[in-house]
Structures are given as C-alpha cells and as structure tokens.
Amino acid sequence: MAGFSLLARVASHPAGAQDAAMGETTPPPEILDGLRRMGLLGAATPAGAPLTGGVSSDIWRIDLPQGPVCVKRALARLRVAADWRAPVGRNLYEARWMRRAAASVPGAAPALLGQDAESGSLAMQFLPAAEYRLWKTELRDGRADPCFAGAVAQSLVRIHAATAADPSVAAEFPTDTIFYDIRLEPYLVATARRHPDRADALLALVAATQGNKRALVHGDVSPKNILVGPAGPVFLDAECAWWGDPAFDLAFCLNHLLLKCLWTPAARERFLACFDALVNGYLSGVDWEAPAALEGRAARLLPGLFLARVDGKSPAEYITEDAGRDRVRRVARALLADPPDRLSQVRDAWREDLTT
C-alpha cells in the first residue's frame, strides 16, 4: 500500500464533489469499522467530513493520525430522480481497477490504501485541490486544452492496451451484471423506451457492446472523474469497471466534449479540438485490434450515449433548455438511423447543427 505522505484532497472526491457538506463530524460507524478491518484505524474515533456531489456513494474525508484519506462507501440506490439501483459489491471492482490502472500507467489513479468488502468501502489517497484540478470545472470555464485531452487519450489507451495483452485480467472482473445495471440499462435501454422508433438501434448497441470483450473498461470516463494533475490525468470513480469493449470508454468521454458545447458555447471550437485530440491520441495507441474496427464501434455507440444524456436515467444537469435538448435529439436520432463509421462524422453533424 502507498504511504500517507501523499496528502488527500477535500475539494473534489471520486464522484466529483466540490465541498464538504458540513463541518467536522463523526463518520458513520460502518465506515469506521471498515477502516479498522483495513488496518488503517486504531481504537480512537477520528473526525471527518462528508463530501457532496456523489450520486452513487457516500464519500468522506477521514482525518487519521497519519494524515487525511478519502473513503467511499457504495450505495445500493443511486441519488437520482429515477429508480436506479446497483450492487454494492462494485466497490471491490473499483479497487481492482485502481490497482490495474496504476500498474499500467503509474499515477493514473489515486493510490489505493485499502478495501473492505463487508462495508463496501475503499480508502484512497486524498489529493489536494490546489494541485489536482477537476477537468469538468476547467471545461465549464472554457479552459479546454487539446494537449490535456490528448494526455487523457494516451493514458486511457495504455490501460486498455496493457490489459488487452493480459486476458487473465478478465477473471478479476465478473461484472457483466453490474455494468448492465449501471451503464447499459440506464443509458441505452432506458432511452430506447423513450424513443421506440429508435429502440432497435439502441438495443443493437447494447448487444454490440456486450459482445466485444477485449480489455479492462473504466466505464465512467467523464470530465467529472478526471483530475488535471501535475504529472498528467488522474482517473477516479471506476465503479463500473468491466472486462469488455474499450470503445465504450472512448465514446463515453467524447460524448461529454460534445455536450459541453451547450454548456459553454464560447468554447465550442476548443471543445471540438479536444474531441479530435482525444480521438487521434487514442486511436494511435490501439494495438490489440484494427483501430478502424474500434473506431466504428465507438462512432456507432456515441449517438446512443448522446441521446441518453437528455432522455436516459442520468440527464446532463447543465442542459436545462428545451432548445438544447432538442438539438441533441435531432442529431442523435439522425445518426442512429444512419450509423456512422468514423467519429469525425459525429463531430461534423454536431458542429453543423450548432451553426444553424
């Protein structure tokens, strides 16, 4: 385990929290018991602070004598308007993803300090906000850097390539049901119910994603789960970790760069430049299959994920106007009816609609 010389962060936790919900208080007994079983806590009861912003876990800063740590405890029912449930055992697989990612790309994940299956908790390095900025906040403020997007791509594809080269990793992630419950059902299946005339296309994307098991997938490669660290990107919140189709991670991240054009319109061209940097940086590192084959799956999946962020169970919170939602629907539905083979086709269709 990594030592506590690496300080923790309180400003943004693995689910994207920004501030402590309240002042110092006593953490829940389940979390404290989990820390004791991890061997990180003695008899004394430490202070801590809950962190806001997560929908899938309780997140706490715990002030141990050795230094602060971040502790996550998975929730059975996610904090969203829809009835969205997921097995709490996903916490174990997040810990495993963190170990595998760090082995593939040192520094790509916070140092894992311990994991307790009984409480569904894990403890990790706590990174200071002054040194680790949240990429989502950077993008919201229009600071869209294609070089950083390229670094995200390079780290992500290195993790995929390292695990694709070692198929034995698959046995550590028997998470087909979890991935379906957290990703495929609330995004693609739920959206199919809202768009019955595109249901066949959306359900075909589910089948294609399930049928291409090639590497270790993070499952939530979103700017809210990526820190701009001093040595490069740091990936958080791998609760959806799955041995499956790496095209999902690529499409999932690209989706956010397209959607951000509605959040901060003045930075639209910079977001699209980040889109291109992410595509080019990622595809240049694909060595486990033909890059064009992976790009085709990602290009066809992207419109489904795009539509899901307005009509699935987890709508993007910053798309608040009907005009924006209608733009997403118009572009996504057209692409679902005539599926693209290249990611540039999705980008161009979106850019064209934004300029009309």
Side-chain angles (χ1 to χ4, degrees), residues 69-81:
V69 298
C70 180
V71 180
K72 289 184 63 179
R73 182 168 181 260
L75 297 173
R77 187 185 188 281
L78 280 62
R79 297 189 186 100
V80 295

Side-chain angles (χ1 to χ4, degrees), residues 8 16 26 41 48 64 79 84 94 127 148 170 179 185 241 271 298 304 345 353 355:
T26 301
L41 182 63
L64 300 181
R79 297 189 186 100
W84 184 355
E94 178 174 9
L127 305 174
F148 183 75
F179 191 80
E185 194 284 329
F271 294 143
Q345 294 172 267
D353 196 272
T355 57

